[in-house]
Amino acid sequence: MTVKPLKRNYIGLGTSPHDPSLAIVDSRGQLVFAEDTERYLQNKRAWCSPPDDFIRIAKLLKEYCEPDAEFVIASSWRSAFFKRLQFFSFGPFKGLIKRKIGAENYDMLRCIASYANVRHGINTEAHLQRVFGRRPVIRREYEHHLTHSAAACYSSPYAEAVSVVIDGLGESTSCKMFHFRNGGHLPISRKPSEGSFGQFYSFLCELCGFDPIGGEEWKVMGLAPYGGKNDRYYGLLRSLLRIDGLRIREGRHSAAAVRQLLELRRRPDQPAIEFADLAYTGQLVFSEYVDELLSHVHALNLSDNLVLSGGCALNSAYVGQLAGKGPFKNSFVFCAPADNGNSVGAAWLAYHQDHPQAWTPRTQVQSPYLGSRLSTDMLDKLLRYGGLEPIKTGGGPELYTQVAEELSKGRIVAWVQGRAEFGPRALGNRSILADPRRRDVKELINAKVKFREEFRPFAPSILAEHGDEYFENYRDTPYMERALRFRPEQAARVPGVVHVDGTGRLQSVKRELNEKYYELIKAFHGLTGVPILLNTSFNVMGKPIAHSVEDAIAIFLTSGIDLLVLDNYIFKKRALGALADVDAAAGRSPSTEDLSRTPQAAVA
Ligand SMILES: [Fe+2]
């Protein structure tokens, strides 16, 4: 009798101290689940939280793995890295290390090293064997930057590419490059970079008065277009790093420049807008650094396709500049290019290690809708006990038409459908939506829904077939991974989603990737002639995107959102909505005839 070999399912763990995540790849190599730990914890970035806590991992594996599959647990980071951290933090040289890096940094180091202790204490294998019977559980680990590259390359449309990982740090370097070919990663250079573009940007974030630990680099990007180049800042920031071929080195006078820059640091009582020049100049210097490095990589003549990953690939302003500029003809960024994507990379690396011949170039873009569904049980309870009297629609055109009409009347809509998006951006399944034709919409959502800084822009979701009509150098941008410049004649039609520099961090929406969201925008287009909706993540400042029915209701009831759409149910507030209030106060019908009102008038 022959014994049928067990199928294997691959459990990827992103085990960085920040942005941990879990992913599952099935026995055919399909990515069937991926989610940030922060979502279910509702704790931004989930610092030092294990992605494989016992109760959650067993539940997820029961739901998403194939029955009777054996498990391969694959994690990002070599454990030697964490052991080194533990040695530095708790070993015989801890006093010396503390003096060298300063008390504040040392506390952070100890915190991360303690997380490493927790990680080593978690015996996921034994737990899964207990829950699922005596199935073997295999453990593998992969180098951090390789998992970045794998997540990006295996989800990209390219048969071959140059893969550049630009990060804060890794086991031994901040930056790594691979030639991706035939499903394998060939390292391009093994020399480590001691300088770091990721740390450069975190430092810039700190100088501007924001918190890189909280992941507030977004704010620098949002603030930069309000400023201009400052020659003094430029000189200091340029002297922090230098590019030496394929390596990032520290600048020869970087210590003196750091000291001078720290004197410029924004104090809590200073308005952010006064630091727009610093943000602008920093973003400019960052772009020049990356340009220089990429030009050296491209000069190797390996490929015209660029796959960019690592935390710096979240810089959508820079990624947008790559379109139509070169030196690479094509560029790709995954929906989760930072450390949360490493669970996906680790799971895919483990799969391809077992199936070296299985790789074929992808024919369709990887869906980002990989996370949890809403609990139907909790939705039933809400309908039964909530006393909110929602409108039940039959879904389909009935739902799209009703919601599109409300949007066109100026209502702010929270739109929750299907599986959550993987990565930091809401892509039409956990989104707050509004009419982009309203000039006042940005100020209103910032003030009454997101409770965040007025300088931060909102993104446009556009039907992909209209992309070229609205944007210069248009490229399909399914994950909101790049900001492109609006064509000037079209920008005036959608002022609510045009940033001060004329750009928008767009999402190209195609039916094959998200039918419901596509049909909703199409219904809005049919009513208004505009194929765009304002799309921002369904959260409030400082919190992760809503994960459960309870999160959705809490945000709905404690913010200026007018409508909440959960699946096919529309929950409405009795009072007119935030935008509609303004119309009512002015004695007008809540429509969009007046598209030119000032933000001040709108929020008064
Ligand atoms: Fe990383």
Side-chain angles (χ1 to χ4, degrees):
M1 193 178 99
T2 54
V3 179
K4 199 177 163 195
L6 284 172
K7 283 178 180 172
R8 282 183 173 177
N9 280 193
Y10 300 84
I11 322 304
L13 300 179
T15 55
S16 293
H18 58 82
D19 304 300
S21 64
L22 187 148
I24 300 171
V25 164
D26 71 11
S27 61
R28 296 168 297 125
Q30 299 298 310
L31 180 59
V32 293
F33 179 84
E35 190 164 86
D36 288 42
T37 306
E38 70 164 26
R39 296 290 181 92
Y40 75 94
L41 290 180
Q42 282 294 290
N43 177 7
K44 192 82 178 162
R45 304 197 82 192
W47 270 93
C48 297
S49 304
D52 49 347
D53 73 77
F54 291 160
I55 293 172
R56 178 156 169 84
I57 194 171
K59 183 175 165 289
L60 288 175
L61 268 50
K62 279 179 186 165
E63 187 171 353
Y64 291 100
C65 285
E66 293 159 280
D68 304 324
E70 66 179 13
F71 302 126
V72 177
I73 298 177
S75 47
S76 169
W77 291 103
R78 298 277 187 201
S79 52
F81 173 75
F82 285 113
K83 283 181 184 148
R84 217 164 50 233
L85 276 184
Q86 287 170 309
F87 178 76
F88 286 143
S89 307
F90 303 114
F93 303 115
K94 62 184 180 187
L96 184 70
I97 300 284
K98 187 174 182 178
R99 279 195 298 280
K100 193 163 170 56
I101 66 175
E104 200 178 309
N105 290 331
Y106 179 71
D107 285 348
M108 193 69 197
L109 186 68
R110 276 175 70 98
C111 176
I112 294 169
S114 301
Y115 168 67
N117 277 341
V118 172
R119 284 232 47 74
H120 289 156
I122 293 180
N123 191 340
T124 312
E125 294 93 323
H127 178 66
L128 294 183
Q129 284 171 358
R130 260 196 309 275
V131 174
F132 292 92
R134 299 304 300 171
R135 288 186 223 170
V137 178
I138 298 149
R139 170 73 74 168
R140 293 177 191 162
E141 59 183 32
Y142 297 95
E143 191 254 324
H144 181 70
H145 288 146
L146 183 61
T147 58
H148 269 303
S149 182
C153 289
Y154 292 132
S155 57
S156 83
Y158 306 141
E160 56 79 38
V162 166
S163 171
V164 180
V165 184
I166 306 178
D167 217 5
L169 53 84
E171 280 92 344
S172 58
T173 180
S174 72
C175 172
K176 210 141 198 187
M177 295 146 197
F178 302 91
H179 188 198
F180 177 70
R181 210 170 52 155
N182 300 324
H185 290 74
L186 194 67
I188 291 175
S189 169
R190 292 181 191 276
K191 288 184 181 168
S193 286
E194 80 271 15
S196 163
F197 290 162
Q199 287 178 24
F200 169 87
Y201 214 90
S202 294
F203 182 53
L204 175 66
C205 181
E206 245 181 289
L207 293 176
C208 291
F210 306 127
D211 177 18
I213 302 293
E216 293 189 341
E217 286 88 347
W218 308 109
K219 296 187 183 181
V220 182
M221 266 184 283
L223 183 61
Y226 288 89
K229 185 181 172 190
N230 174 302
D231 288 338
R232 183 178 172 226
Y233 301 160
Y234 181 84
L236 292 170
L237 291 164
R238 277 293 321 199
S239 64
L240 292 179
L241 299 171
R242 62 194 167 93
I243 313 304
D244 177 9
L246 301 181
R247 299 173 76 187
I248 306 165
R249 314 289 298 269
E250 286 188 359
R252 291 193 178 87
H253 306 289
S254 61
V258 166
R259 277 196 298 278
Q260 289 183 60
L261 284 163
L262 282 172
E263 286 169 16
L264 301 169
R265 192 180 186 165
R266 182 181 146 223
R267 295 188 311 271
D269 61 323
Q270 292 177 292
I273 201 73
E274 289 177 11
F275 286 73
D277 284 353
L278 181 59
Y280 179 93
T281 310
Q283 175 71 27
L284 173 69
V285 171
F286 172 82
S287 302
E288 288 180 359
Y289 280 147
V290 184
D291 276 351
E292 206 176 326
L293 186 73
L294 292 184
S295 71
H296 289 301
V297 189
H298 186 260
L300 299 172
N301 281 322
L302 295 170
S303 176
D304 268 333
N305 299 325
L306 170 69
V307 172
L308 202 58
S309 62
C312 294
L314 284 173
N315 195 308
S316 52
Y318 179 76
V319 175
Q321 285 171 27
L322 286 171
K325 185 177 82 169
F328 290 92
K329 280 192 187 134
N330 310 301
S331 57
F332 175 83
V333 174
F334 182 42
C335 60
D339 283 12
N340 46 359
N342 294 339
S343 56
V344 171
W348 262 331
L349 283 166
Y351 173 82
H352 286 292
Q353 188 175 332
D354 286 349
H355 306 85
Q357 308 303 328
W359 180 81
T360 51
R362 149 183 305 285
T363 52
Q364 212 180 7
V365 66
Q366 170 65 50
S367 167
Y369 305 102
L370 295 159
S372 296
R373 298 177 181 87
L374 282 180
S375 157
T376 50
D377 177 50
M378 197 49 72
L379 185 54
D380 285 346
K381 286 187 174 116
L382 175 68
L383 296 172
R384 187 173 302 176
Y385 303 116
L388 292 170
E389 298 174 9
I391 299 165
K392 184 184 180 186
T393 73
E398 188 189 349
L399 175 68
Y400 310 134
T401 307
Q402 283 195 46
V403 177
E405 276 175 5
E406 297 286 355
L407 285 163
S408 72
K409 288 174 187 168
R411 304 283 199 264
I412 300 173
V413 175
W415 173 258
V416 182
Q417 302 289 333
R419 296 183 66 180
E421 305 85 342
F422 181 50
R425 289 150 186 158
L427 300 170
N429 276 9
R430 302 287 183 277
S431 290
I432 294 170
L433 308 175
D435 185 343
R437 299 172 302 160
R438 313 277 304 216
R439 195 172 290 280
D440 52 1
V441 70
K442 188 177 96 171
E443 286 72 18
L444 278 163
I445 296 181
N446 274 335
K448 294 192 173 183
V449 180
K450 304 284 278 193
F451 309 112
R452 67 182 202 182
E453 299 86 349
E454 69 285 353
F455 59 80
R456 296 179 66 186
F458 288 110
S461 290
I462 182 167
L463 298 177
E465 59 269 30
H466 291 277
D468 196 44
E469 186 186 326
Y470 275 80
F471 289 95
E472 294 174 358
N473 290 316
Y474 175 75
R475 305 281 189 281
D476 273 347
T477 305
Y479 309 133
M480 242 181 229
E481 66 271 29
R482 57 173 72 89
L484 295 178
R485 188 165 296 282
F486 274 98
R487 294 188 185 281
E489 67 276 17
Q490 299 288 22
R493 300 183 70 192
V494 286
V497 288
V498 183
H499 202 14
V500 68
D501 60 350
T503 64
R505 196 189 66 197
L506 70 153
Q507 176 197 3
S508 310
V509 181
K510 292 187 174 179
R511 183 187 274 119
E512 57 263 34
L513 217 52
N514 192 335
E515 186 178 349
K516 280 190 155 185
Y517 193 39
Y518 178 89
E519 291 297 343
L520 175 66
I521 304 175
K522 203 169 159 215
F524 183 80
H525 181 218
L527 284 172
T528 64
V530 170
I532 295 177
L533 283 177
L534 179 153
N535 174 8
T536 183
S537 52
F538 185 21
N539 67 336
V540 290
M541 188 164 84
K543 292 284 285 179
I545 294 175
H547 182 67
S548 63
V549 171
E550 300 93 305
D551 299 334
I553 285 291
I555 299 173
F556 176 53
L557 295 180
T558 56
S559 71
I561 293 171
D562 300 308
L563 268 81
L564 169 65
V565 185
L566 292 179
D567 198 4
N568 293 332
Y569 293 91
I570 302 174
F571 296 80
K572 274 189 192 182
K573 284 182 183 158
R574 279 200 199 95
L576 284 175
L579 290 173
D581 278 343
V582 180
D583 292 306
R588 286 183 282 230
S589 78
S591 65
T592 53
E593 290 106 27
D594 180 6
L595 301 176
S596 61
R597 70 187 61 169
T598 63
Q600 288 75 17
V603 294

